[in-house]
Amino acid sequence: MTFSVYGPQNEFTNALVTEFGKLAKTALATTIEELQTQNAANIIAVTPFHDNVPMSFGKKVLRVVRTDTHDKLQNNGTYYVVGRVNIREAAQIVVKRFVGFESSKSCVICPSSMVIDTPLAVFTVPLELSSEPSLKKVITVSSKPKELKEIKKQKFAVRVPRKKLSLSLPRYNVRRSLIFLLIFIIWFFSLPYVLLIVSGACSYTAIKTLPNRNSVMTSPLLRCGQVSALGANTLLNFSPLKSSGNLPQFMYDASQLALEASSIYKGLPTLTIDALTAVTPDLYKLSRDIAILSSRTDEIAQISSLSRELPFFLHHSSLFQVLAAAASQSPDLLGKQEPKTYLVLLQNNMELRPTGGFIGSFLLVDVDNGEVTAQKIYDVYDADGQLTGFVKPPEAIVNYLGEASWHLRDSNWDPDFEISAKRAVWFLDKSLNRKVDGVIGVDLEVLRTLIQQLGSIEVPDYGGTLTADNFYSTIQSEVHKEFFPGSRKKSNYLTAVFNAVLSKLNKEGSRNTISLLTGIIKNLDSRDIQFYSTNDVLQSEFNKAGIAGAVSVNSLGFVEANVGVNKANQYIERAGSWKLEKEGSGTIAVTGKLEFTNTAQSASDETRYRVYLRTFAPKGSVLESLRINVGGVMQAIVPEKETLPQREQEGAFFELKAGEKALVTVSWSCPPATDISLWKQGGVLPYPISVSVLTGGPSRQYNTTFGQDEHIEL
């Protein structure tokens, strides 16, 4: 902001320069050339020069007329300084009026002893040489003629009469119009994104309320999210900004599917056979629609930073197909025609075995016409003790476990869960004469997930509290304390834990449903939960969803078996790397490394990790080398080859004492393929790996946490 006072140099113009100079840069211009040179944004033209001021857009001009008479004062945007007023105070009034909100209105500045009959606003100041030096400034604002009397007060007075409604059009204010236009443009362009945020917030809140069947807010929130997304989509169609792409439509479709899911969920107050059969068509439609939505990867990537749950569930859209298939098969699965029995293998991954852990106990659940009629936990040795006859075990079980015969407790020797589950079913039939219709394998990581989400669990009659930190040591202490062959202590305690978890789920599950489901799905990804069903339709869906624990034809990886008859896996940490390089012939050269660290503080039989390690690759692969270095010493091993119809597999045994490290390096030459899947073993905690892929084009190298199968395109 700059000022030019345009007029002859005198006491009044100098006073104006002084007063305006207190606000911003101000200069006096006595000629038109000086005025143009100064190029100030604000011009105060003092008569007789004001009629010649050059007008230009953007400049603010004030005309000040000094006159000795008050006759013929016009309302034309001019400040009239009448008579011999106090110049300094008159200049101050000019400044205050000009920089204030009434700067465009005319006014009269006159001595306080004068009476002015004019429609203009009148400001009175003392005379320049007043005989009454104590006279104070009196300001009277008037919109109509009014006689002013001499006022001798210590404080000035302001009178602002109420303005009458005028039918005249206001002066067009370009600056104000531009501001309003700018505000409208900003509002118009930002509104779609505000609506998108509202849509996401409503949908997220609705998902949080969904576990409560009685919530009256779920549907309104989802509809709010739907309407907001629709509004954002409509506005963006008229907007040149297309950065959101199809995100509004995606949010609209997601809200619509959430409404469908909510309707299905609330329509299933109980999981009866008839209710499940009735919602089967809706579940199939929902699963197909979710699969389509999950294919829109660009939109999912856009919302991943705002919502973790929605992209996570969409990436597991195949699980909705499993639910639909289970509902369609519910008459068979829930025993409408004949009772069904299901086997749950309780695998202790602190004593790691190929499908997740040593089978120390198992649960049998009987279902008849949709109702659970019996459930009982067994110690595995109760069943193994009733097995008659001899079953030849694999050579590694004979050589490293010292078992002359094969039993249920070692039935999960194959890393493919379907193969091991069928073997467990066979052993159970031969030992307890019980036929089962499906098998579920779970390890201790599932219990850890439940405790983390539900909170600590009290175990009645045993006086213990299970937490995510102490649950394993507490269970081990209870089941082994005063244990003897034939004792029911182990199964009784595990039954008490199982019932306590179910009770906690009934009380607290609805409060943590989303986080609980997220944790369980991660357990599925990590093979801590695996399924096998004798129902072919359902088993097919298990395989498609990747929860059947299968070893696919293009799988590559390591599988461990703790053969030390101890719980040493609680001390083992891992880190790995894989390098895949496509050669000129199309074959794939693979080098894998797996480092083990035994973190136990004291050396004993309980902390020594005796492991039979196998590595496998797609059918037709050739093992180039298998080297094991323990504590800096290279082991002398001869890989033990197994002939399998699905894959090539070779193994070796080594020991790792407390405080030691071991490095296993394997090299495979694999047949040509378009993709490879790095297989993750159930019961193994996630560990860091690095992956390097060389295919002749741009190389890829990245680090990740190995918590589930890693699929690599070649």
Side-chain angles (χ1 to χ4, degrees):
M1 182 168 62
T2 56
F3 297 94
S4 288
V5 178
Y6 177 51
Q9 185 171 6
N10 54 37
E11 188 178 5
F12 182 61
T13 54
N14 287 336
L16 288 174
V17 171
T18 300
E19 295 303 324
F20 278 105
K22 295 177 181 179
L23 300 178
K25 181 181 178 182
T26 306
L28 177 66
T30 59
T31 65
I32 198 71
E33 290 78 11
E34 288 181 344
L35 183 62
Q36 292 174 340
T37 302
Q38 292 172 7
N39 194 27
N42 303 276
I43 302 172
I44 300 90
V46 183
T47 187
F49 297 88
H50 66 281
D51 292 331
N52 301 319
V53 175
M55 297 295 293
S56 61
F57 181 76
K59 293 184 181 295
K60 191 173 181 181
V61 179
L62 171 66
R63 294 173 175 84
V64 181
V65 176
R66 290 201 67 185
T67 178
D68 293 330
T69 177
H70 61 274
D71 297 335
K72 300 180 181 179
L73 302 182
Q74 302 296 320
N75 189 1
N76 59 0
T78 302
Y79 288 12
Y80 295 93
V81 182
V82 181
R84 296 175 59 198
V85 298
N86 185 305
I87 293 176
R88 180 172 175 272
E89 293 198 32
Q92 289 176 349
I93 292 176
V94 171
V95 171
K96 291 178 182 179
R97 292 279 295 180
F98 185 60
V99 299
F101 65 92
E102 290 187 318
S103 59
S104 63
K105 296 182 180 180
S106 299
C107 72
V108 177
I109 305 169
C110 67
S112 58
S113 60
M114 295 181 64
V115 177
I116 303 296
D117 184 10
T118 176
L120 306 182
V122 176
F123 293 80
T124 60
V125 296
L127 291 171
E128 184 67 28
L129 299 174
S130 175
S131 60
E132 301 173 331
S134 62
L135 189 64
K136 299 297 182 180
K137 177 172 61 176
V138 178
I139 303 177
T140 302
V141 181
S142 177
S143 61
K144 61 182 180 179
K146 187 174 182 179
E147 181 177 297
L148 296 179
K149 297 182 179 179
E150 181 176 333
I151 302 175
K152 297 181 180 179
K153 293 185 177 181
Q154 296 301 317
K155 297 182 179 180
F156 63 86
V158 180
R159 302 188 186 95
V160 183
R162 182 176 297 176
K163 296 182 179 179
K164 296 182 179 179
L165 181 63
S166 174
L167 297 178
S168 61
L169 293 176
R171 184 177 298 177
Y172 185 72
N173 192 320
V174 176
R175 178 178 296 179
R176 183 173 298 176
S177 300
L178 289 176
I179 291 174
F180 284 139
L181 180 60
L182 180 61
I183 292 174
F184 174 78
I185 292 173
I186 294 174
W187 173 84
F188 180 80
F189 285 125
S190 63
L191 185 58
Y193 305 98
V194 172
L195 288 173
L196 275 178
I197 294 174
V198 170
S199 176
C202 288
S203 300
Y204 179 80
T205 308
I207 290 173
K208 290 295 186 182
T209 66
L210 185 59
N212 184 357
R213 295 181 189 272
N214 298 322
S215 174
V216 297
M217 291 302 298
T218 303
S219 294
L221 283 169
L222 288 173
R223 294 196 182 280
C224 172
Q226 198 174 22
V227 171
S228 298
L230 184 61
N233 191 41
T234 302
L235 287 174
L236 284 173
N237 287 333
F238 295 97
S239 171
L241 300 178
K242 298 295 183 182
S243 59
S244 292
N246 298 318
L247 184 57
Q249 184 65 45
F250 176 87
M251 295 295 293
Y252 177 88
D253 294 340
S255 299
Q256 178 63 36
L257 294 183
L259 279 168
E260 293 180 21
S262 175
S263 177
I264 295 171
Y265 177 71
K266 291 184 177 181
L268 279 173
T270 57
L271 297 178
T272 63
I273 295 175
D274 291 340
L276 288 170
T277 303
V279 300
T280 293
D282 295 331
L283 279 173
Y284 271 118
K285 179 181 181 302
L286 180 65
S287 66
R288 289 192 298 269
D289 292 342
I290 290 177
I292 294 172
L293 195 68
S294 66
S295 65
R296 295 161 66 172
T297 55
D298 292 341
E299 288 83 358
I300 293 175
Q302 288 185 60
I303 65 170
S304 59
S305 59
L306 301 176
S307 170
R308 296 181 180 180
E309 287 88 353
L310 184 57
F312 180 80
F313 285 117
L314 288 176
H315 287 146
H316 293 84
S317 60
S318 56
L319 294 178
F320 290 94
Q321 187 73 14
V322 174
L323 293 177
S328 70
Q329 300 299 310
S330 57
D332 176 50
L333 299 176
L334 299 181
K336 186 172 184 178
Q337 302 300 329
E338 59 179 358
K340 299 289 181 178
T341 300
Y342 296 96
L343 169 65
V344 181
L345 300 175
L346 305 178
Q347 305 179 111
N348 189 340
N349 54 308
M350 298 299 103
E351 185 176 349
L352 191 62
R353 291 296 172 86
T355 65
F358 175 68
I359 305 172
S361 307
F362 60 90
L363 169 69
L364 287 178
V365 180
D366 296 326
V367 182
D368 187 7
N369 198 25
E371 295 184 0
V372 176
T373 57
Q375 55 187 24
K376 182 179 179 181
I377 293 181
Y378 294 81
D379 188 318
V380 72
Y381 290 99
D382 291 343
D384 288 347
Q386 299 182 52
L387 179 66
T388 58
F390 169 79
V391 181
K392 183 180 179 181
E395 289 297 323
I397 291 180
V398 176
N399 296 336
Y400 305 112
L401 274 174
E403 297 284 356
S405 182
W406 208 355
H407 297 86
L408 175 61
R409 60 181 179 268
D410 299 320
S411 61
N412 59 345
W413 192 252
D414 196 291
D416 191 304
F417 185 74
E418 181 177 350
I419 295 173
S420 289
K422 288 179 178 178
R423 190 169 291 127
V425 169
W426 185 89
F427 275 114
L428 190 68
D429 180 35
K430 301 304 179 186
S431 58
L432 298 183
N433 194 29
R434 296 290 301 272
K435 297 185 181 297
V436 297
D437 302 280
V439 183
I440 304 173
V442 296
D443 59 46
L444 290 175
E445 295 311 306
V446 180
L447 181 58
R448 189 194 305 274
T449 296
L450 293 174
I451 296 176
Q452 285 175 338
Q453 301 302 328
L454 299 176
S456 59
I457 295 176
E458 302 290 336
V459 184
D461 301 328
Y462 288 88
T465 300
L466 300 181
T467 68
D469 296 325
N470 74 358
F471 80 97
Y472 174 71
S473 59
T474 302
I475 291 175
Q476 286 298 114
S477 174
E478 287 291 341
V479 299
H480 289 292
K481 183 169 57 177
E482 301 176 1
F483 177 79
F484 56 88
S487 169
R488 296 285 304 165
K489 178 178 176 58
K490 180 179 178 181
S491 58
N492 289 342
Y493 178 73
L494 292 178
T495 299
V497 172
F498 178 75
N499 291 333
V501 171
L502 289 181
S503 177
K504 190 80 169 186
L505 274 171
N506 290 332
K507 292 179 180 178
E508 306 290 341
S510 60
R511 300 181 185 177
N512 305 279
T513 302
I514 299 300
S515 55
L516 188 59
L517 283 175
T518 301
I520 294 299
I521 292 175
K522 289 181 179 178
N523 288 141
L524 290 169
D525 289 339
S526 192
R527 285 195 174 86
D528 296 316
I529 307 175
Q530 299 168 91
F531 294 92
Y532 163 72
S533 176
T534 57
N535 183 293
D536 293 336
V537 173
L538 194 57
Q539 181 62 20
S540 174
E541 295 301 332
F542 287 159
N543 279 298
K544 292 177 184 177
I547 59 176
V551 179
S552 61
V553 294
N554 61 343
S555 291
L556 182 72
F558 294 103
V559 55
E560 304 170 44
N562 181 340
V563 293
V565 195
N566 61 20
K567 305 300 184 286
N569 284 95
Q570 60 187 303
Y571 307 111
I572 303 302
E573 293 181 353
R574 300 167 182 81
S577 66
W578 289 94
K579 180 181 178 181
L580 296 86
E581 185 173 3
K582 184 176 288 188
E583 299 177 333
S585 59
T587 59
I588 304 167
V590 177
T591 301
K593 295 182 179 181
L594 184 57
E595 182 180 74
F596 297 85
T597 302
N598 190 330
T599 63
Q601 299 298 313
S602 59
S604 68
D605 288 341
E606 290 300 315
T607 61
R608 179 183 301 171
Y609 188 36
R610 303 180 72 248
V611 54
Y612 183 67
L613 179 74
R614 286 172 286 177
T615 177
F616 58 84
K619 190 68 175 177
S621 300
V622 176
L623 180 70
E624 301 293 343
S625 67
L626 175 60
R627 300 187 300 275
I628 302 177
N629 186 309
V630 179
V633 178
M634 191 66 68
Q635 305 293 296
I637 61 168
V638 176
E640 300 174 6
K641 183 177 179 62
E642 294 182 69
T643 302
L644 299 170
Q646 309 95 337
R647 60 189 183 271
E648 308 294 340
Q649 184 169 282
E650 306 216 24
F653 168 82
F654 68 92
E655 293 185 5
L656 190 63
K657 299 177 183 178
E660 285 187 333
K661 291 180 179 288
L663 178 64
V664 178
T665 305
V666 61
S667 296
W668 285 98
S669 178
C670 302
T674 58
D675 63 321
I676 287 288
S677 181
L678 299 181
W679 182 84
K680 191 268 176 187
Q681 183 176 359
V684 175
L685 297 180
Y687 60 88
I689 63 169
S690 63
V691 179
S692 177
V693 183
L694 305 174
T695 60
S699 61
R700 288 170 284 156
Q701 185 166 357
Y702 59 93
N703 299 324
T704 187
T705 299
F706 197 32
Q708 63 185 74
D709 288 2
E710 189 74 14
H711 189 75
I712 301 174
E713 298 285 346
L714 298 174

